[in-house]
Amino acid sequence: MGAAPAHCRRPCCQLPNVPSSPIQPQKTTGFARPRLEASKLRRLGIDTGYERVVYLDPDSPICRSEGFGPHSRLSLRVGEREVLATLNLAHSGSLAADEAGLSESAWQSLQPKPGEKVVIAHPPNVDSMAYVRAKVFDKEL
């Protein structure tokens, strides 16, 4: 498969800017993506094994503004600790709109202190897809 024609300006035909050095993972610093804070964290005591799960009310600001639905992957950060978690929605009214419930594994991973808030955001983009696209267009990695 050859490279895209020079006259083509469609995003799908554009080659990524791929460095010639070996692939180095890049560390994501901070939250450059949309995020919201939940004012309260609640330990729900639900054992999900090793899966980290966050529970939100479907009418919470983060679900409404970002369009998160059941089984969405979310990035959770408390202080310097950050984890990826699966979203489950609690329709029963057991969580307030500004409250996030955590499974036991998520609670143990984040170790929130009393009064700490959780920052909820979309997970970081996977940068390695640029390398996959480059390989499709016969570029060396």
Side-chain angles (χ1 to χ4, degrees):
M1 181 180 271
H7 66 276
C8 184
R9 299 279 181 232
R10 294 183 303 184
C12 61
C13 292
Q14 299 302 310
L15 294 176
N17 186 10
V18 179
S20 58
S21 63
I23 298 173
Q24 298 293 322
Q26 295 179 353
K27 183 173 174 30
T28 304
T29 56
F31 272 105
R33 49 204 185 269
R35 67 195 187 284
L36 286 176
E37 287 185 359
S39 62
K40 299 175 192 168
L41 274 175
R42 190 190 312 173
R43 186 177 195 169
L44 298 178
I46 298 172
D47 184 1
T48 56
Y50 293 107
E51 185 175 6
R52 297 175 184 117
V53 179
V54 59
Y55 298 87
L56 294 173
D57 186 279
D59 293 325
S60 67
I62 188 78
C63 286
R64 292 175 62 100
S65 66
E66 297 301 318
F68 292 136
H71 303 289
S72 295
R73 296 291 287 169
L74 305 180
S75 179
L76 308 175
R77 186 172 70 188
V78 174
E80 295 297 316
R81 297 169 305 278
E82 183 175 356
V83 298
L84 289 178
T86 301
L87 172 64
N88 282 346
L89 297 178
H91 290 277
S92 65
S94 59
L95 292 171
D98 63 343
E99 188 175 39
L102 297 178
S103 67
E104 280 299 306
S105 58
W107 188 272
Q108 293 298 325
S109 297
L110 290 172
Q111 301 174 355
K113 294 174 180 52
E116 272 190 312
K117 295 183 179 183
V118 62
V119 178
I120 303 170
H122 288 278
N125 293 331
V126 180
D127 294 332
S128 61
M129 287 308 295
Y131 297 110
V132 171
R133 284 189 296 276
K135 191 66 176 167
V136 167
F137 289 107
D138 293 330
K139 295 289 181 181
E140 285 192 31
L141 299 180

